[in-house]
Amino acid sequence: MSNLINKISSIRKNQEARTVAGNFMWLSALQVAGYVFPLITMPYLARVIGVDGFGKIAFAAAIMVWIQTIVNWGFNLTAIRDVAQNKDDQERVSIIFSNILWARFFLAGLTFVVLLALIAIIPAFRESWEIILISFLMIPGLIIFPEWYFQAMERMKYITILNVVTKLLFTLMVFIFVKEPSDYILQPLLMSFGYLISGGISLYIILGRWGIKLHRPQYGRIIETIKGSTDVFINHLAPNLYNSLSIILLGVFSGGIASGIYDGANKFMNLLNNILNTITRAFYPFLSRKQDKFSIYISIVISIAVCSSVVMYLLAPLLVNTLLSPEFHESITVLRILSISAIFYVVSEAYGLCNLIINHREKILRQLTLTCSIIGFTIAVPMVYYYSYIGVAVTVVVSRLLLGLSAMWAAKSDANDIYSLFKLRQTERS
């Protein structure tokens, strides 16, 4: 611990270190805003629009999460890396910015066509077509609000201020305009307007004040840009094999009570993982330019992860008994098991995102993630069947252990050895 304190003290006077620290503070404020404002409106909306309206909003929001994942397509990592590595070349940055913007609009167009088809075919989609299409309005707003660009340029205060102001206005408008159950449709509409306004302001800052040029869309460049981030996109989706699908298996095998016990513990872990991920996001653009500082970053982030894991393990009874009802008592055991996974989560994020992806070795990370996720899902079936929510927790820990250690091994190993192992020589040459 004293060694860690000495390292932190030695970089306090460094301008780049202060930039990273500033980005972490702004990102932390952004995370806090993301939790606080929904907590303010949720009780009011639940009381005014009722269970039915709340359920329709949640259904449409779940669809938008999948659409947003497709539209992002891993650009939030590859674009940050590419811009951060070329931030002094404004013309190159303009080309990267334009390619990402048009590629995301292209993907949004494709998903919109698919969405219309689903509305026409699936009764559940057709019954909620109005709120689904209104909720889709937030997608263009998210596209023109390029959070990734501000992060790449290490100017996180802009997106934090815009986000907080927008969420504040949105929260006030919910209390002003949502007055009866039929007003449930206004919630996604107001949110979409908020994203569009923030997006318009951010584009003005980037194109008008910072001088980035918007190039005309070219189909060839759009396809090339999408292909360049496909490995990262797959890397984002693959962990759902052992994570989300394990929870689905839990519901099938053990029912709603078991799912609730696991979800109660998992909410605390999601909060911890988001905090740890904020540290990685703050360092990511800096490490994209200064990979020689990776050893300092890894010692800091793993030390924080170990401390956080120990604290979560010790505080599990207090958190569950204080913030949840007595029915969630078994969540204490689940939370203590999951607390171990925080260490491996950080190891996989650190070596995967801040080393392999930054060094353009995302194909290796994709293969590792797919392999570990398939192993995790294979383990999940018997573990969940025989051990219920305990089985899910153990599956998550084992899967993240495998991914973390394999990512660390890949980052430290010679590239040729890894290509040979996964038969990726020809892929890398192409």
Side-chain angles (χ1 to χ4, degrees):
M1 181 59 70
S2 61
N3 186 39
L4 174 62
I5 294 173
N6 290 334
K7 285 185 176 181
I8 295 175
S9 178
S10 65
I11 62 175
R12 283 181 62 187
K13 297 181 180 180
N14 185 284
Q15 176 60 39
E16 290 182 325
R18 290 201 296 271
T19 300
V20 173
N23 285 337
F24 173 72
M25 292 176 59
W26 287 111
L27 281 168
S28 299
L30 187 61
Q31 289 284 352
V32 171
Y35 283 106
V36 169
F37 287 108
L39 286 175
I40 294 174
T41 58
M42 185 172 65
Y44 177 78
L45 286 172
R47 186 175 71 254
V48 173
I49 66 178
V51 176
D52 184 55
F54 215 77
K56 289 178 180 178
I57 292 174
F59 179 68
I63 297 171
M64 293 310 116
V65 168
W66 282 94
I67 293 177
Q68 184 179 348
T69 302
I70 294 172
V71 171
N72 282 338
W73 202 264
F75 298 138
N76 55 325
L77 291 177
T78 56
I80 291 173
R81 175 196 64 196
D82 295 342
V83 169
Q85 292 175 349
N86 296 274
K87 64 187 303 181
D88 295 327
D89 185 347
Q90 188 158 324
E91 179 58 26
R92 178 60 184 158
V93 170
S94 295
I95 292 173
I96 295 171
F97 178 83
S98 301
N99 290 342
I100 298 297
L101 184 69
W102 299 127
R104 295 181 76 186
F105 271 119
F106 177 77
L107 291 169
L110 292 180
T111 57
F112 184 68
V113 172
V114 173
L115 183 63
L116 291 178
L118 292 174
I119 290 174
I121 296 171
I122 302 176
F125 280 62
R126 190 162 55 248
E127 290 174 4
S128 302
W129 69 270
E130 288 181 306
I131 193 167
I132 290 175
L133 293 182
I134 287 175
S135 298
F136 188 85
L137 290 174
M138 73 177 62
I139 300 301
L142 288 168
I143 292 175
I144 63 175
F145 182 59
E147 179 179 329
W148 61 267
Y149 180 81
F150 291 101
Q151 187 176 346
M153 300 302 291
E154 298 179 274
R155 296 181 175 182
M156 293 302 299
K157 68 177 182 179
Y158 288 92
I159 63 169
T160 301
I161 293 172
L162 282 172
N163 258 294
V164 171
V165 171
T166 300
K167 284 182 168 61
L168 177 60
L169 292 175
F170 164 73
T171 301
L172 292 174
M173 286 191 290
V174 165
F175 287 110
I176 293 172
F177 294 107
V178 179
K179 296 295 185 182
E180 54 187 45
S182 60
D183 292 335
Y184 73 91
I185 204 164
L186 294 177
Q187 193 270 352
L189 182 63
L190 294 173
M191 181 180 292
S192 298
F193 281 151
Y195 282 122
L196 289 169
I197 293 171
S198 296
I201 295 173
S202 65
L203 280 185
Y204 168 74
I205 294 172
I206 295 170
L207 302 179
R209 296 184 60 184
W210 292 353
I212 297 300
K213 297 178 182 177
L214 185 61
H215 294 263
R216 295 176 60 184
Q218 297 182 22
Y219 180 76
R221 285 186 174 181
I222 290 174
I223 299 302
E224 182 181 350
T225 300
I226 293 172
K227 287 182 178 179
S229 291
T230 298
D231 291 319
V232 178
F233 173 70
I234 294 173
N235 186 62
H236 279 170
L237 287 185
N240 287 325
L241 286 173
Y242 68 80
N243 199 348
S244 298
L245 287 183
S246 295
I247 299 173
I248 293 174
L249 289 174
L250 179 62
V252 172
F253 292 150
S254 303
I257 294 177
S259 298
I261 290 173
Y262 178 81
D263 187 60
N266 197 41
K267 286 187 184 302
F268 295 111
M269 281 308 302
N270 285 337
L271 178 59
L272 176 59
N273 288 337
N274 284 336
I275 294 172
L276 295 172
N277 182 255
T278 299
I279 302 173
T280 297
R281 289 180 64 191
F283 271 94
Y284 185 80
F286 168 72
L287 292 171
S288 295
R289 296 180 289 104
K290 301 281 187 178
Q291 188 62 190
D292 59 305
K293 304 296 184 183
F294 181 78
S295 60
I296 297 175
Y297 155 74
I298 198 68
S299 63
I300 292 174
V301 74
I302 290 183
S303 298
I304 293 174
V306 171
C307 293
S308 300
S309 179
V310 172
V311 170
M312 183 64 76
Y313 182 91
L314 295 175
L315 292 182
L318 178 63
L319 292 172
V320 172
N321 292 331
T322 303
L323 300 177
L324 300 176
S325 63
E327 290 85 356
F328 287 87
H329 181 73
E330 291 299 317
S331 295
I332 296 174
T333 303
V334 177
L335 181 54
R336 282 183 158 169
I337 295 172
L338 288 175
S339 66
I340 303 171
S341 70
I343 301 171
F344 308 123
Y345 172 78
V346 165
V347 171
S348 64
E349 290 281 293
Y351 284 100
L353 304 186
C354 292
N355 188 290
L356 294 176
I357 289 180
I358 284 176
N359 289 305
H360 300 270
R361 299 167 71 189
E362 50 263 38
K363 285 183 172 60
I364 297 171
L365 182 60
R366 178 203 64 189
Q367 188 64 49
L368 291 173
T369 304
L370 278 172
T371 302
C372 294
S373 297
I374 291 171
I375 293 173
F377 179 70
T378 304
I379 296 172
V381 177
M383 288 297 294
V384 176
Y385 183 79
Y386 288 107
Y387 301 104
S388 188
Y389 44 82
I390 299 296
V392 180
V394 172
T395 298
V396 170
V397 173
V398 172
S399 300
R400 287 179 175 167
L401 167 66
L402 293 174
L403 182 56
L405 294 181
S406 60
M408 181 173 64
W409 166 76
K412 293 184 175 183
S413 299
D414 182 73
N416 290 328
D417 294 337
I418 303 168
Y419 297 158
S420 176
L421 178 63
F422 291 109
K423 299 179 182 180
L424 291 173
R425 287 183 182 272
Q426 189 62 39
T427 305
E428 285 298 301
R429 289 196 190 103
S430 63

